[in-house]
Amino acid sequence: MINYKNHAKGSTLLSRRRCRVLKKNKAKIKEFKEKGKTIIFVSHDPTSIMEMCDEALYLDNGKIQIIGEPAMVASAYQHIADN
């Protein structure tokens, strides 16, 4: 069993190591979402973001650049990464 560290009521912060474990267990993420939990998922992988997130946020040097639908945010990230 993975111990999830609660940072705020109803939210869970997942470390990169825990994310690798959870990637193998998407059912657990679905369970969290069904319970109304907030999951903070940090990734540079647009595919994972689009699969696992309802909303996404793109940060650049610690500043929010865009918030919105995961495909839109992933597209903006990819565009910037390619240039």
Side-chain angles (χ1 to χ4, degrees):
M1 180 72 181
I2 299 169
N3 293 321
Y4 300 95
K5 188 173 183 181
N6 290 322
H7 290 271
K9 186 177 180 180
S11 68
T12 303
L13 178 64
L14 305 174
S15 70
R16 179 178 272 187
R17 187 174 126 246
R18 287 184 179 145
C19 283
R20 280 194 299 265
V21 171
L22 283 180
K23 192 171 184 177
K24 296 177 183 175
N25 189 356
K26 290 182 182 179
K28 189 60 149 176
I29 292 172
K30 184 178 179 183
E31 179 185 325
F32 277 1
K33 288 174 74 174
E34 287 172 353
K35 289 181 179 180
K37 300 286 184 177
T38 299
I39 301 167
I40 300 171
F41 177 72
V42 179
S43 178
H44 291 266
D45 178 20
T47 302
S48 293
I49 292 167
M50 289 185 287
E51 278 181 16
M52 299 170 62
C53 300
D54 298 323
E55 187 172 27
L57 157 74
Y58 171 57
L59 293 174
D60 185 28
N61 291 317
K63 295 183 181 174
I64 297 172
Q65 300 300 312
I66 187 169
I67 300 174
E69 196 270 329
M72 178 186 65
V73 175
S75 177
Y77 170 79
Q78 195 64 47
H79 176 75
I80 292 167
D82 289 343
N83 291 320

